[in-house]
Amino acid sequence: MLSNLYETATAPHIAYAILSKLVGRKQKNFAVTRKGINTTKSKFNFKFGWPLVLITFLSVVSLIKVVYLMTQSTNLSSVYINVFWIGYNLITLVLAIFLCIERPRLRKAERFESHRKGKLSLVSSKGESVELEANIIDWNESGARIHFISKKKLLLGNYQGKLMVDDQYLNVRVVWIASEVLAVEFLKVSIEQFAYLVGETYARPSHTIESVTYNNKLIKLLFLQFFRRRKRMSKNKKLFKR
């Protein structure tokens, strides 16, 4: 199923490239592929997905025609085979169409996993101060996601303060809080601090960067997680600014 899904998604575009080469069409100059834009909304990539939508439409028409022939034909064994393969192809086509839906991009920079530990000193808009042990989950030059340990529950508010890690004191603003995890945005990053953050993220040797592994099943990833994240993003899109 997975290999067929890959073939179904790429076949129209590969076929177009091969046919263009056969008829002698001049090859276009190389251009850097667009990697997406920052947005709070999901977007359907119509340029990539329209052949799949067209093939799906034709498959549905074919299925309706085959069902009609079942009422007219006496040799149903051949009809059953067509129904099976049309149904199978429709499943892969629908999954391939879901791959054309681009999820919201809320971050301006890639995050890198980290195991750095530090301290988080925050002050709320009401003047309440709190000191937290901070375990950095992932970060980049603009912010970080932090696991913290606190005896009292922190409520989302206008928290600002400093993140102390190694010998750096980074000015931060809390963007969101969920259970024992919060996200911060770095404020007024100095040249020295920026060099430190780049050294801990982009400049790390490739063998020290851990690959993110997703254990989600295919159907859950494409359907349940898609709608769940879309609902969560719509609620919190005003809180994310990077």
Side-chain angles (χ1 to χ4, degrees):
M1 173 66 79
L2 290 177
S3 61
N4 194 22
L5 175 61
Y6 171 78
E7 293 170 358
T8 302
T10 58
H13 305 278
I14 295 176
Y16 173 78
I18 294 174
L19 292 175
S20 298
K21 190 68 175 179
L22 288 176
V23 299
R25 185 176 179 181
K26 186 177 180 181
Q27 187 176 4
K28 295 181 179 180
N29 295 330
F30 174 79
V32 178
T33 307
R34 187 177 182 182
K35 299 301 188 295
I37 58 176
N38 291 89
T39 177
T40 58
K41 297 180 180 180
S42 298
K43 179 184 177 183
F44 182 77
N45 191 334
F46 188 78
K47 182 179 179 181
F48 182 82
W50 76 264
L52 301 175
V53 175
L54 177 61
I55 297 173
T56 302
F57 173 76
L58 295 176
S59 298
V60 172
V61 173
S62 301
L63 181 62
I64 295 173
K65 185 176 181 180
V66 169
V67 172
Y68 172 75
L69 291 176
M70 291 177 65
T71 62
Q72 306 293 326
S73 177
T74 57
N75 184 15
L76 296 179
S77 58
S78 60
V79 178
Y80 289 150
I81 294 175
N82 290 327
V83 170
F84 170 78
W85 283 114
I86 292 175
Y88 180 84
N89 288 331
L90 278 175
I91 293 174
T92 56
L93 284 167
V94 171
L95 294 177
I97 289 174
F98 267 85
L99 295 177
C100 300
I101 301 177
E102 297 185 3
R103 58 181 296 183
R105 296 171 178 262
L106 301 173
R107 293 173 180 164
K108 295 180 180 179
E110 189 66 32
R111 286 285 181 88
F112 293 83
E113 289 191 1
S114 176
H115 301 287
R116 293 287 186 183
K117 297 183 178 180
K119 291 186 177 181
L120 197 58
S121 178
L122 300 174
V123 179
S124 69
S125 57
K126 298 180 180 180
E128 300 176 353
S129 60
V130 58
E131 299 284 339
L132 303 172
E133 295 290 333
N135 296 322
I136 299 175
I137 301 173
D138 52 39
W139 59 350
N140 54 31
E141 73 276 17
S142 61
R145 187 161 58 102
I146 298 172
H147 177 268
F148 66 92
I149 299 176
S150 176
K151 294 182 179 179
K152 68 175 184 178
K153 185 177 181 180
L154 290 182
L155 300 176
L156 181 60
N158 188 17
Y159 285 98
Q160 293 192 13
K162 290 185 179 294
L163 172 62
M164 293 161 279
V165 53
D166 291 339
D167 58 344
Q168 302 293 327
Y169 291 80
L170 300 164
N171 297 313
V172 298
R173 178 179 68 87
V174 176
V175 180
W176 56 263
I177 302 174
S179 185
E180 295 182 347
V181 178
L182 58 80
V184 297
E185 178 185 8
F186 297 141
L187 305 174
K188 299 179 180 179
V189 179
S190 66
I191 296 178
E192 181 183 352
Q193 293 171 341
F194 185 81
Y196 168 79
L197 292 172
V198 171
E200 291 295 322
T201 53
Y202 300 97
R204 285 170 54 189
S206 59
H207 68 273
T208 65
I209 299 177
E210 300 179 6
S211 300
V212 180
T213 303
Y214 299 97
N215 297 320
N216 303 67
K217 294 181 180 180
L218 177 63
I219 302 299
K220 182 179 179 182
L221 177 64
L222 292 178
F223 291 96
L224 298 182
Q225 289 288 13
F226 169 76
F227 290 109
R228 185 186 304 172
R229 290 175 179 174
R230 184 174 182 181
K231 183 178 180 180
R232 186 172 68 242
M233 293 298 183
S234 63
K235 291 181 179 180
N236 298 332
K237 64 181 180 180
K238 294 183 180 179
L239 299 177
F240 293 86
K241 295 184 178 179
R242 68 183 193 281

